[in-house]
């Protein structure tokens, strides 16, 4: 049963247990539930009750006369609206926490990164001279809220993009106003009987996605850094093997760093540890799943035990005393899986409850108190454990590559820049760079496309930056360790060795894809690689996507000038016209297109061809794989045999 479902050995092991115990997970639900063939390709219109209309076979228009293009474009647009709303509502939560912290109403939160606060104040036009940190923070938070709700003004952060890109957005009429307005307008336009021109709908779709990427998400990243610290490299461990048989295991799962950061504090509170000991445990082991894990991994080195498809299987270990969830990517199925074990599922967001779960609402005004209560609830559950089975699978990793650190690592405090990266792309040591991001989807072998693509890219001298569930897949397979350098192409390896970083850089959670926009802007403005993001030899890949959020990210990557390819399947394949509008059409408009390609090898081929075409257009050195690292003193595979790499066992797992 487990065969072919995952390449993660811990998940394969747990799937066998699920089968033996007769417990249903997303893996077998996916097998039982074939995708709806009409909705899958975007052909189903359910925007009014004259339908739903299924535009298949001879039916080429809905009851209202809506054409296939209109229906497919509207469906795509609504995915982007929902994805942008999710990221941005999360971002707004961060801003409200900053405001409460600065006003002294959320005393458990402090401003950790004053330098970043001042930088963000500069972007938002907030005065800093002669003012206290709190005064600046209040104005920054209020200005950020104005940006969320801006009715006419462009989002302030657009000014962080390359000049040429800003001018293009304004010319095309897609420079976004506040994300709240753009999302509402897109929902309005796709309401029955409003915008009925596919291309026009898709243009507003780009505008909405930009309000996410350069608005809601970028603000979320920045405010999280101000509150919790801007990440710098940190060593950590991953996968289910970090669960402890003799400690209280508490998993945080979801997306918001506010609760998870406070959980880190509460879990190390001596009183809580003593309480855990009074219940027979040796201590408290806090670990994470999905993007909230990425947040506390990047800043605190808290272990990450899995990505989207790990959430139910983790419970099957019988070792999780509490799984604490907030928002997004939390499967309802965890409650029924937990019903077979002692695990308590605790929902915490006022926005998200799950029937059958325990709800302990998080309140930033008394954050530590609530976090301690949650920890105590987990501890109280420890004596109820029955059979425990923890797979002996652990890997090591290095995370924490914020865009600030990436600039710093290329020259230190006095000479930080993107010059070395640009120079090495120009001379061909590095062929290009790719952001590999996004979800898991049980319609493909769990983690397999992620890992195959990343390995193939670094082998071809392509620097990889990663976020979200791709980053966690890489973490679980040792691809975020310096050892993996041995298997990078020779030119890329030389550069990474000189700087002292792995060839795969974990830059954060999904809202932190905004860090990639900043990195690309810095590359475009550093000089030598054109003047706009669309000139750069770079691309985006989302191999195992499933979420509306991923579609919003893909669209803002493209609207920012990054050609992007998604795996799994296409939600617009029902219309050739829409498929072409978002690829060839957008390439003409914004210099980048959005493609869907289920075959991972073809994705890599396309991306490499795209990178090489950009190199040619820039008149850069032709990429030659054997040109660099000719010294015989260091050869690929010196430390590990290549069979070891193929088996994915190249990083020696720590305890
Ligand atoms: O926001 S990568 S499955 S966990 S949507 Fe979700 Fe996709 Fe994972 Fe993070 Ni992003």
């Amino acid at each position: 049963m487990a065969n072919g479902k995952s390449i993660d050995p811990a998940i394969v092991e747990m799937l066998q247990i699920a089968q033996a115990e007769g417990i249903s997970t997303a893996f077998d639900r996916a097998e039982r539930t074939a995708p709806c063939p009409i909705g899958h390709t975007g052909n189903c219109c359910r925007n009014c009750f004259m339908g739903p209309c299924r535009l298949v076979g001879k039916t080429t228009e809905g009851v209202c006369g809506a054409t296939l293009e209109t229906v497919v474009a509207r469906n795509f647009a609504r995915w982007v609206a929902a994805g942008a709303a999710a990221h941005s509502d999360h971002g707004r939560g961060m801003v409200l926490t900053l405001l409460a912290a600065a006003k002294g109403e959320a005393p458990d939160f402090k401003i950790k990164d004053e330098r970043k606060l001042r930088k963000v104040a500069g972007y938002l036009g907030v005065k800093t001279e002669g003012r206290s940190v709190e005064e600046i923070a209040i104005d920054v938070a209020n200005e950020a809220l104005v940006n969320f709700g801006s009715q006419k003004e462009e989002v302030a952060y657009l000014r962080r993009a390359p000049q040429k890109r800003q001018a293009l957005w304004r010319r095309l009429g897609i420079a976004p106003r506040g994300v709240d307005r753009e999302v509402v307008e897109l929902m309005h336009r796709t309401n029955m009987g409003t915008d009925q021109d596919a291309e026009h709908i898709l243009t507003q779709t780009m505008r909405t996605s930009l309000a996410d990427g350069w608005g809601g998400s970028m603000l979320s990243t920045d405010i999280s850094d101000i509150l919790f610290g801007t990440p710098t490299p940190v060593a950590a461990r991953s996968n289910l093997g970090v669960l402890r048989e003799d400690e209280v295991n508490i998993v945080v799962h979801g997306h918001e760093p506010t609760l998870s950061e406070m959980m880190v504090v509460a879990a190390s509170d001596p009183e809580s540890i003593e309480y855990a000991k009074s219940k027979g445990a040796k201590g408290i082991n806090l670990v994470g799943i999905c993007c909230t894990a990425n947040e506390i991994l990047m800043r605190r080195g808290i272990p990450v035990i899995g990505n989207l498809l790990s959430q139910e299987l983790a419970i099957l270990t019988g070792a999780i005393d509490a799984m604490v969830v907030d928002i997004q990517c939390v499967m309802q199925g965890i409650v029924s899986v937990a019903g077979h074990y002692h695990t308590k599922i605790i929902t915490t967001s006022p926005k998200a409850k799950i029937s059958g779960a325990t709800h302990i609402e998080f309140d930033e005004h008394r954050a530590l108190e609530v976090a301690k209560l949650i920890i105590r609830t987990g501890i109280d559950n420890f004596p109820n454990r029955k059979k425990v089975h923890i797979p002996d699978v652990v890997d090591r990793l290095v995370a924490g590559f914020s865009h600030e650190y990436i600039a710093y690592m290329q020259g230190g405090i006095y000479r930080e820049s993107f010059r070395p990266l640009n120079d090495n792309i120009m001379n061909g040591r590095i062929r290009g760079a790719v952001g590999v991001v996004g979800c898991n989807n049980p319609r493909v072998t769990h983690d397999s496309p992620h890992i195959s693509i990343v390995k193939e890219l670094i082998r071809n001298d392509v620097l990889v930056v990663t976020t979200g569930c791709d980053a966690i897949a890489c973490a679980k397979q040792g691809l975020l360790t310096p050892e993996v350098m041995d298997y990078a192409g020779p030119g890329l390896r030389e550069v990474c060795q000189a700087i002292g970083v792995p060839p795969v850089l974990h830059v954060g959670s999904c809202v932190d894809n905004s860090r990639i926009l900043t990195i690309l802007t810095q590359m475009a403005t550093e000089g030598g690689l054109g003047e706009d993001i669309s000139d750069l030899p770079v691309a985006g890949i989302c191999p195992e996507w499933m979420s509306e959020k991923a579609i919003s990210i893909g669209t803002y990557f493209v609207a920012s000038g990054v050609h992007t390819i998604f795996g799994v399947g296409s939600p617009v394949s029902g219309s050739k016209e829409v498929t072409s509008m978002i690829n060839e059409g957008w390439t003409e408009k914004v210099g980048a297109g959005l493609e869907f390609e289920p075959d991972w090898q073809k994705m890599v081929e396309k991306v490499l061809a795209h990178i090489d075409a950009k190199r040619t257009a820039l008149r850069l050195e032709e990429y030659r794989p054997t040109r660099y690292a000719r010294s015989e003193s260091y050869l690929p595979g010196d430390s590990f045999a290549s069979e070891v790499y193929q088996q994915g066992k190249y990083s020696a797992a720590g305890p």
Side-chain angles (χ1 to χ4, degrees):
M1 173 212 180
N3 279 352
K5 292 197 169 173
S6 178
I7 58 160
D8 176 346
I11 294 302
V12 171
E13 197 172 320
M14 296 319 294
L15 279 169
Q16 280 155 0
I17 292 184
Q19 186 181 27
E21 306 279 331
I23 297 171
S24 163
T25 67
F27 289 90
D28 31 42
R29 289 195 296 273
E31 226 163 53
R32 285 201 305 272
T33 317
C36 162
I38 301 147
H40 190 68
T41 52
N43 297 36
C44 172
C45 182
R46 43 189 303 278
N47 294 16
C48 85
F49 208 58
M50 293 193 286
C53 298
R54 309 185 313 165
L55 275 59
V56 282
K58 288 187 184 146
T59 312
T60 55
E61 55 187 21
V63 173
C64 69
T67 62
L68 190 56
E69 293 97 87
T70 298
V71 167
V72 172
R74 275 201 305 226
N75 287 335
F76 182 83
R78 286 198 163 196
W79 284 56
V80 170
H87 285 142
S88 302
D89 207 35
H90 162 172
R92 187 196 333 271
M94 296 306 108
V95 175
L96 292 173
T97 304
L98 176 67
L99 188 60
K103 285 181 169 173
E105 295 164 0
D108 301 323
F109 292 104
K110 300 275 174 287
I111 289 156
K112 275 235 177 82
D113 192 338
E114 280 183 39
R115 189 166 168 235
K116 182 124 188 189
L117 175 70
R118 287 175 197 282
K119 207 166 171 191
V120 170
Y123 296 141
L124 295 175
V126 169
K127 288 204 169 55
T128 55
E129 241 181 70
R131 305 184 73 203
S132 72
V133 170
E134 288 72 25
E135 285 170 335
I136 299 169
I138 289 171
D139 282 3
V140 162
N142 282 325
E143 200 50 47
L145 291 175
V146 167
N147 269 267
F148 277 94
S150 156
Q151 299 302 308
K152 287 187 179 165
E153 293 292 311
E154 287 172 8
V155 171
Y157 273 12
L158 289 196
R159 295 194 290 272
R160 291 172 64 175
Q163 294 287 342
K164 218 175 155 185
R165 183 75 7 197
Q166 294 181 42
L168 177 68
W169 288 333
R170 288 180 191 122
R171 208 166 52 244
L172 294 174
I174 59 171
R177 300 150 298 185
V179 67
D180 294 354
R181 164 135 201 208
E182 299 304 354
V183 169
V184 168
E185 183 168 323
L186 193 52
M187 292 305 286
H188 173 198
R189 286 208 208 183
T190 52
N191 178 247
M192 188 264 155
T194 308
D195 200 352
Q196 291 163 100
D197 176 284
E199 204 173 332
H200 198 235
I201 293 166
L202 292 169
T203 302
Q204 171 63 14
T205 304
M206 277 201 280
R207 192 180 196 185
T208 306
S209 75
L210 287 169
D212 173 2
W214 295 85
S217 282
M218 203 174 273
L219 280 163
S220 186
T221 297
D222 278 356
I223 305 289
S224 300
D225 285 353
I226 291 170
L227 278 169
F228 308 119
T230 301
T232 54
V234 58
R237 292 166 305 136
S238 66
N239 220 328
L240 295 178
V242 301
L243 292 169
R244 298 275 191 206
E245 197 151 356
D246 52 3
E247 292 186 20
V248 176
N249 292 306
I250 298 183
V251 180
V252 286
H253 169 27
H255 282 77
E256 289 181 336
T258 33
L259 168 65
S260 49
E261 278 280 336
M262 218 31 73
M263 294 286 290
V264 178
V265 179
S268 52
D269 168 51
E271 235 177 72
S272 301
I273 294 170
E274 271 317 301
Y275 187 60
K277 286 183 179 164
S278 78
K279 298 282 177 183
K282 284 204 172 131
I284 303 167
N285 184 30
L286 186 75
V287 297
I289 286 182
C290 284
C291 282
T292 201
N294 281 326
E295 298 276 0
I296 49 176
L297 166 69
M298 290 283 286
R299 299 190 178 90
R300 306 264 198 161
I302 300 294
V304 50
I305 62 166
N307 43 12
L308 181 86
L309 284 177
S310 310
Q311 58 187 290
E312 292 172 305
L313 280 308
I315 298 171
L316 273 106
T317 59
I320 296 175
D321 303 298
M323 183 177 273
V324 185
V325 304
D326 51 35
I327 48 159
Q328 303 171 16
C329 304
V330 178
M331 291 187 184
Q332 190 165 354
I334 56 173
V335 172
S336 54
V337 175
H340 295 266
Y341 296 86
H342 80 300
T343 305
K344 257 199 166 46
I345 305 293
I346 303 176
T347 52
T348 58
S349 168
K351 295 172 197 162
K353 285 191 176 182
I354 308 177
S355 312
T358 304
H359 190 73
I360 303 178
E361 198 153 302
F362 183 66
D363 174 1
E364 72 238 25
H365 301 97
R366 39 184 205 93
L368 190 55
E369 181 195 326
V370 180
K372 280 185 183 172
L373 174 66
I374 293 169
I375 295 271
R376 207 179 167 90
T377 310
I379 296 170
D380 282 336
N381 201 24
F382 177 78
N384 299 327
R385 274 197 204 169
K386 294 180 193 103
K387 213 167 97 195
V388 168
H389 178 101
I390 300 173
D392 186 18
V393 182
V394 181
D395 220 311
R396 291 182 302 118
L397 67 124
V398 180
F401 292 95
S402 56
H403 52 271
E404 285 88 346
Y405 188 82
I406 294 175
Y408 166 79
M409 77 191 189
Q410 297 180 72
I413 289 179
Y414 299 109
R415 289 189 301 132
E416 66 172 35
S417 77
F418 272 69
R419 198 65 258 156
L421 177 61
N422 279 23
D423 282 348
N424 282 297
I425 289 177
M426 288 162 71
N427 65 30
R429 274 192 177 82
I430 297 179
R431 189 172 183 175
V434 173
V436 190
V437 306
C439 322
N440 288 143
N441 187 325
R443 304 291 174 196
V444 298
T445 303
H446 172 227
D447 287 350
S448 176
H450 282 309
I451 298 304
S452 307
I453 287 169
V454 171
K455 279 183 176 177
E456 198 56 17
L457 288 174
I458 60 171
R459 200 173 68 78
N460 278 283
D461 289 300
V462 173
L463 179 72
V464 171
V465 291
T466 176
T467 60
C469 286
D470 181 89
I472 300 173
C474 291
K476 291 186 296 172
Q477 300 280 338
L479 281 173
L480 304 181
T481 54
E483 285 88 343
V484 82
M485 195 107 76
D486 293 352
Y487 297 94
L492 175 64
R493 196 180 69 233
E494 267 191 358
V495 178
C496 290
Q497 279 176 327
I499 299 175
V501 292
V504 184
L505 303 175
H506 186 338
V507 300
S509 63
C510 274
V511 289
D512 293 337
N513 280 308
S514 64
R515 292 194 202 278
I516 298 178
L517 298 179
T518 309
I519 292 166
L520 294 169
T521 301
Q522 285 176 297
M523 287 168 70
T525 49
E526 181 68 44
L529 294 177
E531 296 171 342
D532 193 356
I533 294 171
S534 56
D535 297 331
L536 301 169
V538 300
I541 301 185
C542 188
E544 300 178 27
W545 78 279
M546 66 88 203
S547 171
E548 292 160 325
K549 292 182 289 170
I551 293 292
S552 180
I553 293 165
T555 306
Y556 76 62
F557 266 33
V558 170
S560 303
V562 185
H563 190 79
T564 300
I565 308 183
F566 275 55
V568 190
S570 166
V572 296
S573 58
S575 163
K576 274 195 194 124
E577 288 77 5
V578 172
T579 301
S580 157
M581 279 175 199
I582 63 172
N583 188 10
E584 292 85 6
W586 280 357
T587 303
E588 244 171 61
K589 278 190 176 157
V590 293
L594 184 62
E595 284 186 74
F596 291 87
E597 171 54 69
D599 179 332
W600 74 264
Q601 272 160 319
K602 285 193 187 144
M603 287 167 95
V604 173
E605 277 165 26
K606 282 182 177 190
V607 155
L608 293 178
H610 172 78
I611 284 173
D612 290 345
K614 290 288 174 189
R615 293 186 66 87
T616 307
L618 287 165
R619 298 177 204 275
L620 299 182
E621 289 260 344
E622 193 186 334
Y623 166 73
R624 280 183 288 135
T626 53
R627 173 165 175 193
Y628 292 104
R630 296 175 75 96
S631 152
E632 290 186 1
S633 62
Y634 188 97
L635 291 169
D638 267 0
S639 313
F640 296 87
S642 58
E643 315 80 69
V644 177
Y645 179 61
Q646 294 309 330
Q647 290 161 12
K649 288 182 183 153
Y650 31 84
S651 94

